[in-house]
Amino acid sequence: MGRWGWRLFESDQDLDVVLNLTEDLEIDTDSWEYSLSAMVHQTDMLAPADARALYSTTEYANSLANVTIPYIRQKFDTDNLGERLFAASRAKESDMNDFMQQSKYRTIILGALMMRAGARINAADLQHLRDLVPQINCNSRRPLFEDHGFRTPGKAQFLAALDHYQPGIARSFQEPTCFKCGKIEAEIGHKPLQCKKCNVATYCSKNCQRDQWREHRVSCVPLEQRFLLNV
């Protein structure tokens, strides 16, 4: 489950959506040199040690920023592919049998991927993404059974990305963000503060940390206990 889906792309659910997105929307990307999933990676305790080591290297960061991201941005922006993907995803949202809102959440993930790439998103699709957010199920932690939708830090992260969206500017969802307001370092003006107990949750200020404590405390578990309990 990754980091229990606290933020976007930190859960198996989100990664599965990414892996299946173009196939579900009937867009052929087999000839692409880099897939959409190449823009996001899982860096938590469940990722293999060699993968975590690779993701932390300067070479990987440079390749991601200067090769992979620009390549996928160009793909999104060529022949209005991004708009066509949005249209295909929105068309599937009306499925009356989609009780778990998987189609709507797929549109959310598509929007996050396009912001990750810095691809063009038109005003109507940006507004649609905003309108979708309150319709998506949101939990403070991983439920015991069906796992769909946001965790609240991911919801805040997504809304902050929408607020600061600029075409051509890639938005990293792996960068530390405030678990309460979703802002990144460039918007906060300093590195986010880290929760001293779990060493995972980050905040832009003591005020945000205090405001989110009632929710965060249920998952505020030291590293060694997270390995044992997986909660």
Side-chain angles (χ1 to χ4, degrees):
M1 181 56 197
R3 286 180 181 166
W4 311 282
W6 281 335
R7 303 190 315 159
L8 292 175
F9 307 118
E10 287 183 343
S11 72
D12 292 338
Q13 167 199 312
D14 288 0
L15 297 175
D16 287 344
V17 174
V18 173
L19 290 169
N20 297 322
L21 190 146
T22 52
E23 181 179 351
D24 290 344
L25 299 181
E26 301 178 5
I27 300 293
D28 183 11
T29 59
D30 289 343
S31 63
W32 287 22
E33 185 173 354
Y34 301 100
S35 66
L36 295 179
S37 61
M39 294 193 298
V40 296
H41 54 259
Q42 200 169 13
T43 57
D44 66 9
M45 68 180 190
L46 297 182
D50 56 347
R52 295 199 303 271
L54 171 65
Y55 297 150
S56 66
T57 63
T58 301
E59 291 79 8
Y60 173 80
N62 289 338
S63 178
L64 182 65
N66 300 313
V67 180
T68 307
I69 297 295
Y71 175 88
I72 296 177
R73 180 192 307 144
Q74 183 181 36
K75 289 292 188 181
F76 274 134
D77 290 347
T78 300
D79 297 329
N80 295 318
L81 176 62
E83 290 189 18
R84 289 190 284 121
L85 283 167
F86 265 120
S89 189
R90 292 179 63 169
K92 293 179 179 290
E93 292 173 15
S94 58
D95 182 0
M96 299 299 292
N97 296 317
D98 187 8
F99 301 111
M100 296 298 178
Q101 304 172 320
Q102 293 182 23
S103 296
K104 291 181 178 180
Y105 193 68
R106 179 175 53 216
T107 304
I108 290 285
I109 293 298
L110 172 60
L113 287 170
M114 292 187 67
M115 288 188 285
R116 177 68 187 105
R120 293 193 303 266
I121 306 176
N122 66 41
D125 287 329
L126 282 172
Q127 185 57 52
H128 182 69
L129 290 170
R130 289 187 181 280
D131 294 341
L132 276 184
V133 171
Q135 302 177 45
I136 302 298
N137 185 51
C138 183
N139 292 308
S140 61
R141 64 181 301 178
R142 178 185 179 184
L144 293 177
F145 300 105
E146 293 291 342
D147 184 30
H148 299 284
F150 287 118
R151 299 296 164 270
T152 45
K155 180 178 180 179
Q157 183 188 34
F158 184 75
L159 287 170
L162 285 176
D163 287 343
H164 295 90
Y165 165 74
Q166 296 181 57
I169 305 297
R171 178 87 176 192
S172 173
F173 289 94
Q174 267 78 36
E175 183 175 344
T177 55
C178 177
F179 269 40
K180 176 63 178 178
C181 69
K183 293 178 181 178
I184 59 177
E185 180 178 343
E187 295 146 9
I188 298 170
H190 58 80
K191 289 186 177 180
L193 308 171
Q194 191 173 61
C195 175
K196 294 182 179 179
K197 182 178 180 181
C198 68
N199 293 318
V200 173
T202 50
Y203 298 95
C204 66
S205 66
K206 291 291 185 180
N207 288 337
C208 271
Q209 184 175 21
R210 182 174 56 250
D211 290 347
Q212 213 233 354
W213 170 243
R214 179 176 294 181
E215 179 177 316
H216 175 58
R217 65 183 178 183
V218 300
S219 56
C220 186
V221 181
L223 178 62
E224 63 275 9
Q225 293 183 32
R226 283 191 279 129
F227 269 97
L228 293 173
L229 299 177
N230 194 25
V231 296

